[in-house]
Amino acid sequence: DGILVAGTMGGMQMLRDQTYRELIAHASRRSKGRGEVFVGVGDASWSRTCDRIRLVSEYAVDGIVVLTPYLFRFSSRQLTDYFLSLADFSRLPVYLYDLPGLTGVALDMDLYAAVAAHANVRGAKVSRRIDVAREVKSRFGDDLRVIVAEPDKVDALMREGISEHLDGMFAIAPEWAVAIARSAAEEDWEQAAAMQCKLNE
């Protein structure tokens, strides 16, 4: 149903600017009408992230995904200001990228509460923090879309009603990821579990 281009598994921070631009252009062209296209824009500073947002805004994409600034540690209040100011700056819908396993910074509920009220913050990609994803979904409902990254639990989470999943691991065996989703849609949980085991192995 969609892709994240230049996410963490896409090594966005390691790409040359020209490669990054070509990647976005290609993805937006190839995916047109086939599903959502999100682009990773988070960088080490507010101004560098704004430069990426400006560039991405030239293309037909559905949203931007923003990591916390890397290399430095900021308070929850500072990060709230960071995300809100980027949401003000961007004409594209903003999705927070909650990935403490890589960034070392976990987004907290006070931050989620503050950004949920902003019209241009549409959701979050929550990676390997399923309890946080559940709480965000429960507390903010339709105000924040929650997309989870739990590639080893897709079948169980879909059975629970968590249906939006996005992870770079799916690119390794997309047909198995699609089979899990298809089986879950048909409520064939045995087949979904079998395909999940295959993907996990």
Side-chain angles (χ1 to χ4, degrees):
D1 299 313
I3 59 170
L4 170 58
V5 179
T8 54
M9 289 184 76
M12 183 273 279
Q13 291 79 7
M14 294 177 281
L15 300 177
R16 295 178 65 200
D17 289 346
Q18 184 60 33
T19 304
Y20 181 71
R21 179 183 288 278
E22 289 169 3
L23 177 64
I24 297 162
H26 181 74
S28 66
R29 190 172 51 251
R30 294 277 299 158
S31 300
K32 189 173 184 177
R34 298 175 65 193
E36 290 180 291
V37 178
F38 296 100
V39 178
V41 297
D43 211 306
S45 72
W46 185 85
S47 56
R48 286 180 59 85
T49 301
C50 287
D51 286 346
R52 290 192 183 274
I53 292 170
R54 221 178 266 112
L55 186 154
V56 173
S57 296
E58 298 173 16
Y59 298 93
V61 301
D62 298 290
I64 56 171
V65 182
V66 187
L67 279 171
T68 57
Y70 45 90
L71 301 178
F72 305 102
R73 295 289 181 264
F74 297 99
S75 70
S76 180
R77 182 68 244 164
Q78 290 170 318
L79 288 174
T80 299
D81 291 344
Y82 174 74
F83 286 122
L84 290 174
S85 63
L86 290 174
D88 287 340
F89 177 80
S90 178
R91 71 164 184 78
L92 293 167
V94 173
Y95 290 79
L96 280 55
Y97 199 165
D98 191 348
L99 183 60
L102 185 64
T103 64
V105 179
L107 306 185
D108 63 31
M109 284 303 135
D110 289 341
L111 184 149
Y112 277 113
V115 300
H118 195 291
N120 201 32
V121 177
R122 304 292 174 80
K125 181 179 186 287
V126 183
S127 297
R128 302 287 185 171
R129 301 184 74 204
I130 192 57
D131 290 340
V132 169
R134 286 184 182 112
E135 186 174 352
V136 171
K137 279 181 73 67
S138 171
R139 285 184 61 180
F140 306 110
D142 295 334
D143 292 334
L144 277 181
R145 179 180 180 192
V146 177
I147 304 170
V148 299
E150 300 279 345
D152 56 337
K153 300 180 184 79
V154 175
D155 65 324
L157 293 173
M158 289 195 73
R159 192 168 196 167
E160 185 182 316
I162 297 174
S163 60
E164 295 203 87
H165 300 262
L166 176 61
D167 195 276
M169 292 301 296
F170 300 146
I172 294 169
E175 67 280 3
W176 295 344
V178 169
I180 295 168
R182 198 170 285 138
S183 298
E186 295 168 1
E187 296 189 5
D188 184 349
W189 302 114
E190 188 175 320
Q191 179 62 20
M195 296 310 295
Q196 182 71 66
C197 286
K198 201 168 186 177
L199 180 65
N200 292 358
E201 288 170 8

